Amino acid sequence: METVVSGIRPTGFLHLGNYFGALRNFIKMQDEANCFFFVADYHSLTTHPKASALNEHVKNVLVDYLAAGLDPEKSTLYMQSDLPETAELYLLLNMLAYTGELRRTTSLKEKIKNDKINNEDNVNAGLLTYPVLQAADILIHNADKVPVGKDQEQHLEMTRDFAQRFNYRYEVDYFKLPVAYNFGNELVKIPGLDGSTKMSKSDNEASCVYLSDSPEIIRKKVMKAVTDSGPIESHQEKPQAIENLFQLMKAVSTPETLQFFEGQYDNCQVRYGDMKKQLAEDMILFTAPIYEKILELRNNDDYLRKVAKQGADKARESAAKTVKEVREIIGIRSL
Ligand code: TYM
C-alpha cells in the first residue's frame, strides 16, 4: 500500500483553494493508501503568530479536516509539533541542503517581495530552511505521494533532491522520491475573488471563501467579486478577474451551468450579477454540509483532543522507525 503525507499551515480557516488543491485529494486517498495528514504548526511559526491565535487556528484546521470528511479511523491525523522526530530529521536533512538553493526558492522570494523585506539579512533561518522542514514532514513517513496545490510543486522537487542526496551520500536506497499529486492529474490553483490568480488567506480576506463561511457571508463576498463592464466582441479573451469567476464556477458548479455562462459570455450577453448569484448558490450548496459539521465539531473539544492524541500516537510509531533507521545509516549509534 502506498504512503501519502500532506499538511496545511494553521494560518486561518481553510478556504476553497485549500479544499480543491489539497483537502479534496486527502479525502479521496484515505480509502486507498496509508495516509498521514497533519496541521503544520511549526511551519506557521516562520511568521510569528500570537500564541493564542496559533492555538485557535490549529483547532480550526483540525475541525475543518474532520468536517470536510477526513476519518480518523482511516487516516492518521496529527499536529506536526506532536512529532519531535520531524525536528530531528529536519536537523539531519539541513546538513544536506545548500544555502544557495534555499535562497533561490520561489516561495521565499515571493515572501520577501510580499512582506517588503528590503534586506535579505532579515529573513529568519526558519523561513530560509522552510523547504527542509517540509521535506522532513514528508520523508519521516517515507511517502510515495503528496497531495498539494500547484504552489507546492517546487517544495516537492526539493524534497526529492534531499532524499536523493541522502541516498547517494550514504549509498543506500532508503528514501523513496515522493511526488506532488492531484486526482485530476494536474495540480490546481484556485483563484481569488479579488482578481488575484491564487486564493490566499495571507493576501486578502475578501478574496477567500472559507469552508466555515455562512451562506450569507458567501453571498456577500461573491457579489463583491471584481468584474468589468462586460465583453464587447464575441469570443473575446477574458480578463483575469472574469477568468477567475469562470474557474471558480468550474470548481463548484455543474458542467451545464458553466457552459451556459460561457455561451453568454461568448455572445456578449453575460450578466455578471446573475452569474455571481449562481456562483454563490453553487458554492453554498457545496460548502453547506461542511459548514454545518464545523459548527457541531467546534464545541466538541473532548473529541478533538481524542482524535489528536490517537493520531499523534500512530504517527510517532512511524516517525520513530524512520529516525532510528536514518540514525543507523548516518552512523549515529549508541555505544
Ligand atoms: P498552505 O498551508 O499554504 O496550503 C495548504 C494546501 O493548500 C494548497 N493551496 C491551494 N491549492 C490550490 N489553489 C489555491 N489557491 C491554494 N492555496 C493553498 C497548497 O498547495 C497546499 O497543498 N508548505 C505547505 C504546508 C506543508 C506541507 C508539508 C504540505 C508543510 N509541510 C508537507 C505537504 C507536505 C503550505 O504552506 O501549505
Side-chain angles (χ1 to χ4, degrees), residues 7 9 17-18 43 130 134 137 148-149 151-152 188 190 199:
R9 278 174 308 148
N18 300 132
H43 271 110
Y130 186 110
Q134 182 155 346
D137 291 327
V148 281
D151 61 336
Q152 298 297 314
V188 304
I190 297 291
M199 187 176 281

Side-chain angles (χ1 to χ4, degrees), residues 154-201:
Q154 193 185 30
H155 289 161
L156 260 295
E157 264 170 45
M158 296 176 82
T159 300
R160 286 193 293 278
D161 286 345
F162 301 146
Q164 211 155 17
R165 237 173 260 167
F166 178 93
N167 289 348
Y168 181 75
R169 172 154 307 267
Y170 297 105
E171 297 177 31
V172 287
D173 191 13
Y174 183 72
F175 284 125
K176 295 183 228 168
L177 306 182
V179 292
Y181 187 78
N182 183 291
F183 263 90
N185 286 331
E186 264 183 48
L187 301 184
V188 304
K189 180 157 100 170
I190 297 291
L193 287 171
D194 59 347
S196 59
T197 57
K198 186 183 142 196
M199 187 176 281
S200 161
K201 44 200 167 191

